[in-house]
Amino acid sequence: MEPSDAAHPGPGRAVWALAPRLLLLPLLPVLLGRGLRLGAAASSSGAAAEDSSAMEELATEKEAEESHRQDSVSLLTFILLLTLTILTIWLFKHRRVRFLHETGLAMIYGLIVGVILRYGTPATSGHDKSLSCTREDRAFSTLLVNVSGKFFEYTLKGEISPGKINNVEQNDMLRKVTFDPEVFFNILLPPIIFHAGYSLKKRHFFRNLGSILAYAFFGTAVSCFIIGNLMYGVVKLMKIVGQLSDKFYYTDCLFFGAIISATDPVTVLAIFNELHADVDLYALLFGESVLNDAVAIVLSSSIVAYQPAGLNTHTFDAAAFFKSVGIFLGIFSGSFTMGAVTGVVTALVTKFTKLHCFPLLETALFFLMSWSTFLLAEACGFTGVVAVLFCGITQAHYTYNNLSVESRSRSKQLFEVLHFLAENFIFSYMGLALFTFQKHVFSPIFIIGAFVSIFLGRAAHIYPLSFFLNLGRRHKIGWNFQHMMMFSGLRGAMAFALAIRDTASYARQMMFTTTLLIVFFTVWVIGGGTTPMLSWLNIRVGVDPDQDPPPNNDSFQVLQGDGLDSVGGSRTKQESAWIFRLWYGFDHNYLKPILTHSGPPLTTTLPAWCGLLARCLTSPQVYDNQEPLREDDSDFILTEGDLTLTYGDSTVTANGSSSSYTASTSLEGGRRTKSSSEEVFEQDLGMGDHKVSSRGTPLVFPLQENA
């Protein structure tokens, strides 16, 4: 073809170009018929696809509705369990039954419901054929599967041993009542831990602060390593006798030692509170359990973070060890700081705003700020348990003084109710989990070894530490106290929550099963034997919690005239931890006036050049009151000067078994005489609006003869 012809086609070429199209005209009806049939087929296949999609949507809606119904039934089950527990608790209190605590009741009811769900409900057949992915060398948390052009998302639930691949439990109800472990940490644990710090009896806590810190920190570490090493020997024995079917490393044994070292003597403390047992013993047990939980969770996190260099990640490495120690200190100090700062911020907000005019908003803000401390610490990589604990202590010391009367009552009742419900919910779930949890690993050798190791680990730090602490204590920790502390090492909510948080491996599943059985035994057997043990060890009961304990277990100390500095001296001042006595003056003169409406005016404590700042930060209520403001939480330990201000010239005389006495108190030169013990303690202890009621059995004040 020439270029000119191509550029300017003639008539002949145009006709030739149209020839193929003209030849197709006779075939047009045939092609149209076939096209119509193809279009009809395509439209019919499209309609079938639409029908299939509609059926899939309908099935999905039905599945969602069924899932919603099962969720409602599972939550209703726990609500009915709590309701039944509350009614039974009332019956037990009415009949004065003390051999079984409310947490033990909740576990029994959980066991009953677990048996019904496990063996009384039919299993569903939702298990399809298994697909093999032999080319992959690891498990994926999320999978996207292409099925006939449609993509489906699947999430990892956990590993199944080859021997149980054909016996996978497909009961939907059992899966529904198995909660995500994060529910325990983010929803149930915060109110329990916060209530422990918010309701802390600071006076007796700080009197025994040094001993409590020793038991909580050093004692927990000793218990962890003793239990871990003993359990490593048990694991070696299991391997020899052929009872170990998978890997179980030394770090796993240490992790078990950390989580099982978290004591939770809720049963013992409840009986102590009901019988009004010795306040020092109560403070030691309560303080140890509160801080012990915080130490155990940070210690377990540090053990998990232990990663030696090299191929073998389960050998000892000095660098990795010190790194874990640094992680422990960093996490604990960071969590402590975060909790304290949140409490300080809440105190400043409640002081410099008019929220007290709106108690509902004030209580809501207090609740949200307290709960957010836990989540903030977890989000920042710290430990929420430590943060919310010290947030509760800070809120009780500072923010509580700024709240209105209604908000004080509401906040205490709110967290008390949440603590009660959350704790009983966890113990109910423990009973339920014994039958509904589908990955239990029961090993008799491991379980027996765990019980023996826990006993030895508890004894190895209670008795030696008590011996060394008594060298520096004026009020000794007697043998009966030591035996009671040894006996009261129960395991509870914290150990269970730490164990259930990770049950992916064989070792963690065995730990969870063993922890569950240990909690059952300690709550039922040890908790039920608390009252007989108190009687057998001759530990005082029926004691006013605001009354100072005697110098020994046989008599009470008598204060006479100016006897605060006489024989024996002031127990309040001398028994206080020295570090607290150093800190108290700074807190009373500076922190309290800055963060609350109480304390001396900052204009009298700060230097003269800080006068403008002092006037801005000092509450006007301090200037309005003619008398020094009484601190509502003045059950703190007082310094020597504060003792003179609080007590003045006080005289307490015993009157045989009548348990009544008279006291004369001088404050600012004014002298008043009262004959009621409640009024005397309220005035002397500076209880403010708090009323001290006479509880327990009548007290007898035997005179102590001073040589």
Side-chain angles (χ1 to χ4, degrees):
M1 181 184 296
E2 298 179 2
S4 59
D5 296 337
H8 303 281
R13 291 185 180 275
V15 173
W16 178 252
L18 292 175
R21 302 177 186 178
L22 294 175
L23 293 174
L24 291 175
L25 289 177
L27 301 176
L28 185 60
V30 178
L31 295 175
L32 288 175
R34 290 183 178 181
L36 291 175
R37 287 193 295 271
L38 290 174
S43 62
S44 62
S45 63
E50 292 179 359
D51 293 340
S52 176
S53 178
M55 293 296 293
E56 289 180 0
E57 292 180 359
L58 182 61
T60 303
E61 291 178 359
K62 289 183 177 180
E63 184 178 354
E65 182 179 354
E66 180 66 19
S67 177
H68 173 72
R69 186 187 67 83
Q70 292 179 354
D71 288 337
S72 301
V73 172
S74 62
L75 291 177
L76 179 62
T77 301
F78 285 102
I79 291 177
L80 292 178
L81 277 175
L82 292 176
T83 304
L84 186 59
T85 302
I86 291 173
L87 293 176
T88 312
I89 291 171
W90 168 82
L91 180 62
F92 276 33
K93 289 183 178 295
H94 181 68
R95 300 294 183 183
R96 299 184 181 275
V97 177
R98 295 192 181 97
F99 67 88
L100 187 62
H101 188 248
E102 58 198 42
T103 54
L105 280 173
M107 294 171 68
I108 291 176
Y109 289 141
L111 283 171
I112 296 173
V113 175
V115 171
I116 295 174
L117 292 177
R118 183 61 181 263
Y119 302 107
T121 56
T124 58
S125 58
H127 180 61
D128 297 325
K129 65 178 182 179
S130 58
L131 301 177
S132 177
C133 300
T134 55
R135 296 183 179 180
E136 303 297 337
D137 57 353
R138 65 183 181 91
F140 297 93
S141 58
T142 304
L143 287 179
L144 291 178
V145 180
N146 185 352
V147 181
S148 301
K150 296 181 179 180
F151 291 89
F152 299 90
E153 181 181 3
Y154 294 86
T155 57
L156 177 67
K157 286 189 174 181
E159 182 182 1
I160 301 174
S161 60
K164 298 182 179 180
I165 190 65
N166 296 322
N167 298 322
V168 179
E169 188 66 54
Q170 294 300 317
N171 193 319
D172 291 335
M173 182 57 67
L174 294 183
R175 291 198 299 267
K176 290 294 182 182
V177 297
T178 304
F179 283 93
D180 188 343
E182 295 303 318
V183 172
F184 292 97
F185 266 82
N186 296 331
I187 298 179
L188 297 178
L189 275 185
I192 296 177
I193 303 300
F194 181 85
H195 179 265
Y198 193 56
S199 62
L200 187 68
K201 280 288 184 181
K202 297 182 290 295
R203 181 175 182 229
H204 305 292
F205 177 83
F206 284 103
R207 170 180 294 166
N208 299 278
L209 181 61
S211 301
I212 291 173
L213 292 177
Y215 286 127
F217 283 87
F218 189 74
T220 304
V222 170
S223 176
C224 168
F225 283 99
I226 289 179
I227 294 175
N229 284 278
L230 290 176
M231 292 309 299
Y232 188 64
V234 173
V235 169
K236 289 294 186 181
L237 176 62
M238 293 173 59
K239 187 175 182 180
I240 294 175
V241 299
Q243 295 294 321
L244 195 65
S245 59
D246 208 337
K247 298 178 181 178
F248 208 118
Y249 298 106
Y250 178 69
T251 52
D252 294 326
C253 296
L254 288 180
F255 179 81
F256 177 73
I259 65 175
I260 208 63
S261 296
T263 59
D264 186 17
V266 57
T267 305
V268 176
L269 292 176
I271 295 176
F272 278 15
N273 190 48
E274 183 179 356
L275 297 177
H276 307 296
D278 189 282
V279 288
D280 271 348
L281 178 60
Y282 183 92
L284 288 172
L285 278 175
F286 181 78
E288 182 207 5
S289 66
V290 168
L291 295 179
N292 167 274
D293 289 345
V295 174
I297 189 172
V298 179
L299 192 60
S300 63
S301 300
S302 303
I303 294 173
V304 172
Y306 176 79
Q307 294 179 349
L311 298 177
N312 192 351
T313 59
H314 297 279
T315 58
F316 177 78
D317 183 70
F321 172 77
F322 287 109
K323 181 181 178 181
S324 297
V325 173
I327 291 175
F328 173 85
L329 297 177
I331 291 178
F332 195 93
S333 59
S335 303
F336 166 79
T337 303
M338 187 168 293
V341 168
T342 306
V344 168
V345 170
T346 310
L348 291 173
V349 171
T350 54
K351 177 182 178 180
F352 292 105
T353 60
K354 298 294 184 180
L355 276 174
H356 64 271
C357 299
F358 307 94
L360 180 61
L361 299 180
E362 189 179 36
T363 306
L365 178 67
F366 181 86
F367 173 79
L368 293 177
M369 290 291 290
S370 303
W371 200 305
S372 63
T373 305
F374 184 92
L375 301 178
L376 180 63
E378 292 289 335
C380 294
F382 297 109
T383 300
V385 172
V386 180
V388 78
L389 170 64
F390 287 100
C391 176
I393 296 175
T394 307
Q395 300 278 43
H397 188 45
Y398 298 114
T399 310
Y400 181 83
N401 297 295
N402 301 333
L403 300 179
S404 61
V405 177
E406 294 182 14
S407 295
R408 292 178 185 181
S409 176
R410 284 178 178 177
S411 62
K412 282 195 170 184
Q413 293 176 0
L414 174 63
F415 280 102
E416 187 175 3
V417 171
L418 290 176
H419 164 264
F420 173 81
L421 293 177
E423 191 169 60
N424 282 277
F425 183 93
I426 290 179
F427 279 94
S428 297
Y429 184 77
M430 288 184 195
L432 201 69
L434 187 62
F435 291 98
T436 60
F437 185 73
Q438 304 174 29
K439 300 177 182 179
H440 280 302
V441 177
F442 291 94
S443 175
I445 298 179
F446 191 87
I447 294 171
I448 295 174
F451 274 99
V452 175
S453 300
I454 290 172
F455 178 82
L456 296 178
R458 182 74 177 170
H461 83 265
I462 289 294
Y463 296 112
L465 275 180
S466 300
F467 171 78
F468 288 109
L469 289 172
N470 282 336
L471 298 178
R473 284 178 60 98
R474 180 178 182 83
H475 188 68
K476 309 300 183 183
I477 304 175
W479 284 106
N480 55 346
F481 280 20
Q482 297 179 36
H483 295 329
M484 195 66 211
M485 293 180 67
M486 171 68 192
F487 178 80
S488 304
L490 283 77
R491 271 61 179 177
M494 180 57 67
F496 173 79
L498 289 173
I500 200 176
R501 198 172 191 181
D502 182 9
T503 57
S505 64
Y506 168 81
R508 298 298 176 88
Q509 293 167 9
M510 186 183 296
M511 293 180 200
F512 173 72
T513 303
T514 305
T515 302
L516 202 58
L517 295 177
I518 291 172
V519 173
F520 286 163
F521 177 83
T522 56
V523 170
W524 287 339
V525 178
I526 298 181
T530 300
T531 303
M533 185 63 67
L534 285 173
S535 176
W536 185 62
L537 294 176
N538 296 322
I539 294 176
R540 301 183 308 151
V541 295
V543 180
D544 193 316
D546 294 310
Q547 173 72 20
D548 283 339
N552 53 60
N553 291 331
D554 299 326
S555 61
F556 285 86
Q557 185 178 9
V558 180
L559 305 179
Q560 300 178 353
D562 296 330
L564 288 174
D565 294 323
S566 60
V567 178
S570 170
R571 292 195 65 257
T572 301
K573 178 176 181 297
Q574 294 177 358
E575 291 292 339
S576 305
W578 63 270
I579 189 172
F580 174 72
R581 295 200 302 269
L582 294 177
W583 172 80
Y584 180 81
F586 176 78
D587 173 70
H588 179 75
N589 294 327
Y590 301 104
L591 294 183
K592 270 294 184 68
I594 293 175
L595 301 177
T596 68
H597 299 297
S598 62
L602 289 173
T603 52
T604 62
T605 57
L606 289 177
W609 56 271
C610 297
L612 178 61
L613 180 63
R615 286 190 295 272
C616 293
L617 294 178
T618 302
S619 174
Q621 297 177 358
V622 177
Y623 300 106
D624 295 340
N625 289 317
Q626 298 297 326
E627 297 182 0
L629 284 178
R630 289 287 185 178
E631 300 174 5
D632 290 324
D633 58 351
S634 58
D635 54 350
F636 259 112
I637 310 301
L638 305 178
T639 58
E640 187 174 3
D642 295 323
L643 281 170
T644 304
L645 171 66
T646 303
Y647 284 93
D649 296 330
S650 59
T651 304
V652 180
T653 60
N655 188 17
S657 61
S658 63
S659 73
S660 63
Y661 59 93
T662 61
S664 59
T665 307
S666 78
L667 290 170
E668 298 182 359
R671 195 171 189 85
R672 292 168 293 189
T673 303
K674 296 187 178 183
S675 58
S676 171
S677 61
E678 297 179 5
E679 294 176 353
V680 170
F681 279 119
E682 180 180 352
Q683 182 66 40
D684 287 351
L685 297 175
M687 296 299 291
D689 295 333
H690 299 288
K691 294 182 179 179
V692 181
S693 59
S694 299
R695 295 170 292 179
T697 58
L699 300 182
V700 180
F701 292 82
L703 290 174
Q704 177 187 2
E705 296 181 1
N706 295 326

